[in-house]
Amino acid sequence: MGAGGGWAKSILFNPRARDEFSAFFGRADTFALGVCNGCQMLSHLRELIPGAQHWPAFLHNASGRFEARLAMLEVEESPSIFLQGMAGSRLPVATSHGEGRATFRDPADAAQARVALRYVAPDGAASPGYPFNPNGSTDAIAGLTSLDGRATLMMPHPERSIFPWQNAWYPHVYRKHEVTPWMEAFANAREWIKENVQ
């Protein structure tokens, strides 16, 4: 149903809300994270977010089905404040969406968008097919960030994968820790606030 698109339209077509969101995204001491429906919403608000003009839209999964399971992601090198120090990590994460297929309106946008996360096969192979790329996203894209890293969007749910027991499968090394490496994303945001917000 494009819930994220509906949220975005309630902002874009309301002059007061549009101005408020535009001012928020324009400030240097703010950041935004959009997950799942929030990812869809932020992608529709790209015209208000500095450095996000090349973001894709998120359309119905290529399978035509709602996809809810564990997937493997690789963290790409990017300026995302959430993913600092995590590049190269391959981590399982919960997915749960029907409209998560990243699709670019203009092929030129694909080359300029800052990809932050990609689906990978269990052996680490990039750009896997279904089912490892659960929605059929272009270039196995699972998440992107703005050019300055203050706005990040992603289809998968790292907040549902913070504790080892939340995962149907997880690497053996997690078993000795209380949290998975996804907690680092939220710790990074906290550190950014301490350094950038007065």
Side-chain angles (χ1 to χ4, degrees), residues 15-198:
R16 182 175 177 185
R18 183 186 180 100
D19 289 348
E20 291 288 337
F21 273 79
S22 184
F24 174 83
F25 291 126
R27 289 172 35 198
D29 63 345
T30 62
F31 64 88
L33 172 64
V35 174
C36 200
N37 286 346
C39 173
Q40 296 169 356
M41 182 185 85
L42 287 185
S43 76
H44 285 284
L45 296 180
R46 60 187 160 268
E47 65 190 80
L48 305 182
I49 304 171
Q53 66 270 23
H54 301 292
W55 282 355
F58 289 87
L59 307 179
H60 288 283
N61 295 340
S63 68
R65 296 187 296 267
F66 188 91
E67 301 284 347
R69 64 172 173 283
L70 212 59
M72 186 70 81
L73 294 187
E74 181 163 11
V75 181
E76 299 282 315
E77 187 66 50
S78 82
S80 171
I81 66 168
F82 292 93
L83 303 173
Q84 291 304 295
M86 297 178 68
S89 299
R90 291 180 184 149
L91 305 168
V93 68
T95 62
S96 182
H97 55 261
E99 298 170 322
R101 182 168 48 97
T103 306
F104 292 94
R105 297 165 304 287
D106 183 338
D109 286 335
Q112 297 183 61
R114 293 303 308 262
V115 176
L117 300 163
R118 290 186 200 276
Y119 297 106
V120 294
D123 64 0
S127 299
Y130 186 84
F132 306 121
N133 178 348
N135 45 47
S137 286
T138 300
D139 296 326
I141 292 171
L144 301 102
T145 190
S146 58
L147 296 180
D148 65 3
R150 291 188 304 109
T152 300
L153 51 72
M154 61 184 76
M155 254 304 133
H157 288 270
E159 81 286 357
R160 295 186 191 176
S161 305
I162 289 175
F163 300 105
W165 53 264
Q166 290 177 301
N167 296 275
W169 170 88
Y170 54 92
H172 183 74
V173 69
Y174 284 7
R175 296 177 190 179
K176 63 182 179 182
H177 300 288
E178 292 183 10
V179 296
T180 74
W182 285 116
M183 183 60 86
E184 186 69 16
F186 301 99
N188 283 338
R190 183 172 187 259
E191 288 303 309
W192 188 90
I193 291 169
K194 286 163 59 177
E195 295 172 8
N196 295 278
V197 179
Q198 303 301 322

